[in-house]
Amino acid sequence: PGSGSGGGLGPPTTQENLIVELLLQQNNLQGVFSRELGFLTSCSNLSLFGNSLVGTIPTTIGNMLPLTKLWVDGNELVGGLPTQVGRLRNLNDIAVYSNQLTGSIPTEIGNCERLQRFWGDSMMISGTIPTELGNLLALTNLFLDVNELSGTLPSELGRLTNLRDFRVFRNRLTGSIPPELFTLPNLRVAYMDSNSFTGRRLGR
């Protein structure tokens, strides 16, 4: 479905339901993110980054149960990340950055226990960082920088023993930084500047 010459993404045919990978990144795709793509129920890799897609991420994305990679960054998508993403238990990568997404991070994302990389930066996501992110024990990269997140950093992030790169800079976060973050054995990068954190010391 779709084309590289300004076309949108149309509904899949029955034959297309057998597609296991759909790579259409860095074309000139326009129009809405078609809800019919959710009927590609054999697809494990959906890559649409670097186009000009508009509208919302459809809730039918939750039908794509084999999906391991969801790359839709660098488009013009709006609305929130649908709660149905939490049905995608095989996800390794979510890349939604550099869109115009708003709303909060759905708590259901904590069900994606195989998730390793979550790129959700450079948008207008608000609300708090859900404690359920602490369930993502395979997570190595968590990028939530340059948003409008508020509240405190949940101490549950201290459970992410595989986390290597953590970025929440340029948000509206407050309170103290949980000491658990400073005991994570694999953490190498932690960018938390340009917030409103308080406290007199770091670590335990």
Side-chain angles (χ1 to χ4, degrees):
S3 70
S5 58
L9 293 172
T13 66
T14 302
Q15 185 176 7
E16 287 170 328
N17 287 339
L18 301 178
I19 290 175
V20 295
E21 290 189 286
L22 180 59
L23 308 182
L24 285 168
Q25 68 270 17
Q26 296 178 321
N27 277 282
N28 188 31
L29 296 175
Q30 301 174 10
V32 299
F33 190 147
S34 175
R35 66 180 301 276
E36 283 80 9
L37 284 177
F39 297 111
L40 297 178
T41 53
S42 299
C43 188
S44 64
N45 186 351
L46 180 59
S47 181
L48 303 173
F49 70 84
N51 284 291
S52 298
L53 298 176
V54 298
T56 60
I57 299 173
T59 59
T60 53
I61 200 80
N63 297 331
M64 303 176 73
L65 300 182
L67 204 61
T68 61
K69 293 179 174 62
L70 175 61
W71 293 335
V72 296
D73 49 286
N75 281 285
E76 300 172 20
L77 300 171
V78 297
L81 190 61
T83 61
Q84 288 78 6
V85 167
R87 299 185 60 204
L88 305 177
R89 304 296 181 92
N90 293 303
L91 269 182
N92 298 140
D93 294 357
I94 300 178
V96 293
Y97 67 93
S98 297
N99 280 289
Q100 299 174 30
L101 297 188
T102 56
S104 58
I105 301 170
T107 59
E108 290 82 359
I109 202 170
N111 297 329
C112 303
E113 295 181 355
R114 296 184 182 180
L115 192 64
Q116 297 176 14
R117 290 165 289 269
F118 180 19
W119 294 285
D121 55 286
S122 304
M123 297 186 291
M124 294 177 284
I125 295 175
S126 59
T128 59
I129 296 176
T131 60
E132 288 80 3
L133 290 186
N135 297 335
L136 305 178
L137 302 183
L139 202 63
T140 62
N141 295 69
L142 179 57
F143 288 15
L144 299 174
D145 46 286
V146 195
N147 279 295
E148 298 180 5
L149 293 168
S150 58
T152 60
L153 288 177
S155 61
E156 287 80 1
L157 296 178
R159 299 177 57 201
L160 304 179
T161 55
N162 288 300
L163 192 63
R164 293 178 177 271
D165 197 337
F166 175 58
R167 306 188 186 197
V168 290
F169 65 89
R170 288 183 61 186
N171 278 287
R172 300 177 181 177
L173 298 170
T174 57
S176 59
I177 298 172
E180 292 84 356
L181 283 178
F182 298 97
T183 64
L184 291 175
N186 291 299
L187 189 62
R188 298 294 180 266
V189 175
Y191 293 166
M192 299 181 280
D193 52 286
S194 302
N195 283 286
S196 297
F197 291 122
T198 55
R200 294 190 174 185
R201 66 174 186 154
L202 297 176
R204 294 189 182 276

